[in-house]
Amino acid sequence: MNFTTQIPIPKTQKPIDYNSKIVSLGSCFAENMAEKFEYFKFQNTCNPFGIIFNPVSIERVIERVVNNEIFTDEDVFFYNESWHCYQVHSDCSTASKDELLKSLNTILITTQKNILEASHIIITYGTSWVYRNIESKEIVANCHKVPQKQFCKEVLSVATTAQSIAKTLEFIQTINPNCSVIFTISPVRHIKDGFVENQVSKANLIAATYSLLQANNSQLNTAYFPSYEIMMDELRDYRFYAEDMLHPSQVAIHYIWERFFETQISASIHPIMNEICSVQKGLAHRPFNPNSESHQKFLLQLQNKIAELQKVLPHLQF
């Protein structure tokens, strides 16, 4: 007897393997999945400009990277003893303007290279609610705790969201037409926007992404992975949420990763992934007596296993 409704997810025709180069962009859930990629030692870059939730801001930063649009003094501002940029997350902020600009432009160049070389780009949209700076009329990726009176809040329509997603895909394909782009919607609930408003936001994202994929149904380079739908249907229970009742619990994150693993990752590398998992567990082991002969033997066996893996996958670093 099944106690859940499992969502049928077709297996991708362009699976991820250890030769793949992955770029993950978007909400905090993108980082949850990126942690799994890191654990299994895939070649993955996640959110170089920090967490970005809405489609327009993701589009803007990708446009900037693809067109090599260098950050200048006009793009940054000083507030609360730090320099910030409205197009990126506050994790990028610094105490020095020159340091911030140098850092942002270094990230821009690196990210351009990563997108150019990527085999897969995974974009996770979090919300279609946005904040528009009243003075500049621009939608911001992060308000940096600037007083709310300087912004107006609005929800992106399905049409606007679909247009933004289409432009994002177009920018990526300008420099990397063979890259596979996987879209997904974050299962994190943005209840601060309101319960109904959160559902409207997710609905707009889903409808916009669906319309894009329908228009691109003949292409192998675009796909949708149902992270949000798995959380809503397969894991329809508050026990799968963290203590805040908004973010997926670690159990839920692991389950969604398993569905991704089953459908998006090449079966040919599953044995290697199992070996890497074994090494990770070994590295995490805390012995009762670190100096014992048995533990030293265990460490030697572990190093030998790592060396064997690195012969097959030279990029592996533990």
Side-chain angles (χ1 to χ4, degrees), residues 149-168:
K149 64 183 181 181
Q150 296 188 28
F151 305 92
C152 60
K153 185 178 179 181
E154 61 187 78
V155 64
L156 300 173
S157 67
V158 174
T160 299
T161 305
Q163 183 182 38
S164 181
I165 297 173
K167 284 184 177 179
T168 299

Side-chain angles (χ1 to χ4, degrees), residues 19 30 42 56-57 74 178 184 198 261-262 316:
N19 292 317
F42 285 92
V56 170
S57 293
E74 296 179 356
N178 297 318
T184 190
N198 174 66
F261 166 81
E262 294 166 358
L316 289 187

Side-chain angles (χ1 to χ4, degrees), residues 184-201:
T184 190
I185 309 301
S186 168
V188 178
R189 304 161 72 213
H190 291 252
I191 299 303
K192 288 184 179 180
D193 295 323
F195 283 84
V196 174
E197 289 79 1
N198 174 66
Q199 291 300 89
V200 169
S201 168

Side-chain angles (χ1 to χ4, degrees), residues 66-310:
V66 169
N67 292 335
N68 199 32
E69 189 180 332
I70 300 299
F71 288 91
T72 66
D73 289 358
E74 296 179 356
D75 298 308
V76 300
F77 67 97
F78 187 75
Y79 177 74
N80 200 20
E81 301 183 7
S82 291
W83 284 90
H84 311 277
C85 174
Y86 278 131
Q87 294 181 21
V88 304
H89 193 270
S90 55
D91 284 349
C92 297
S93 300
T94 66
S96 162
K97 181 176 70 171
D98 291 342
E99 183 183 346
L100 175 59
L101 289 173
K102 181 180 179 181
S103 173
L104 291 178
N105 287 320
T106 299
I107 293 170
L108 185 146
I109 294 168
T110 303
T111 304
Q112 185 183 72
K113 181 176 182 292
N114 289 337
I115 291 178
L116 184 64
E117 297 177 350
S119 61
H120 296 77
I121 296 178
I122 304 172
I123 301 177
T124 305
Y125 295 119
T127 183
S128 50
W129 283 100
V130 298
Y131 288 87
R132 188 183 296 275
N133 184 279
I134 294 173
E135 182 180 354
S136 69
K137 310 298 182 185
E138 296 291 330
I139 291 172
V140 303
N142 195 292
C143 293
H144 303 293
K145 298 184 179 180
V146 171
Q148 193 166 351
K149 64 183 181 181
Q150 296 188 28
F151 305 92
C152 60
K153 185 178 179 181
E154 61 187 78
V155 64
L156 300 173
S157 67
V158 174
T160 299
T161 305
Q163 183 182 38
S164 181
I165 297 173
K167 284 184 177 179
T168 299
L169 184 60
E170 183 180 330
F171 287 130
I172 292 170
Q173 291 178 334
T174 298
I175 62 171
N176 189 348
N178 297 318
C179 177
S180 177
V181 182
I182 303 171
F183 296 102
T184 190
I185 309 301
S186 168
V188 178
R189 304 161 72 213
H190 291 252
I191 299 303
K192 288 184 179 180
D193 295 323
F195 283 84
V196 174
E197 289 79 1
N198 174 66
Q199 291 300 89
V200 169
S201 168
K202 299 294 188 185
N204 286 2
L205 292 173
I206 293 167
T209 308
Y210 181 81
S211 67
L212 172 73
L213 293 177
Q214 288 296 103
N216 286 273
N217 60 5
S218 62
Q219 297 186 27
L220 298 178
N221 62 348
T222 55
Y224 181 76
F225 181 76
S227 301
Y228 176 80
E229 293 79 2
I230 291 171
M231 192 73 193
M232 292 298 103
D233 284 281
E234 295 188 36
L235 305 177
R236 191 185 296 183
D237 193 307
Y238 273 104
R239 65 194 165 119
F240 295 115
Y241 284 90
E243 289 182 1
D244 64 2
M245 295 297 149
L246 302 177
H247 292 77
S249 68
Q250 286 302 311
V251 171
I253 291 169
H254 185 70
Y255 181 85
I256 295 171
W257 164 258
E258 284 187 339
R259 298 304 316 276
F260 187 92
F261 166 81
E262 294 166 358
T263 58
Q264 309 299 314
I265 295 179
S266 174
S268 66
I269 66 166
H270 291 182
I272 298 177
M273 291 179 70
N274 288 335
E275 286 295 310
I276 290 174
C277 184
S278 174
V279 169
Q280 294 283 40
K281 289 177 179 178
L283 292 171
H285 175 67
R286 294 294 176 264
F288 178 74
N289 183 358
N291 298 317
S292 67
E293 183 179 345
S294 62
H295 181 63
Q296 295 306 310
K297 184 178 180 181
F298 168 79
L299 290 178
L300 180 60
Q301 292 173 340
L302 193 60
Q303 290 303 317
N304 289 338
K305 187 178 290 188
I306 291 173
E308 289 300 314
L309 283 168
Q310 288 174 333

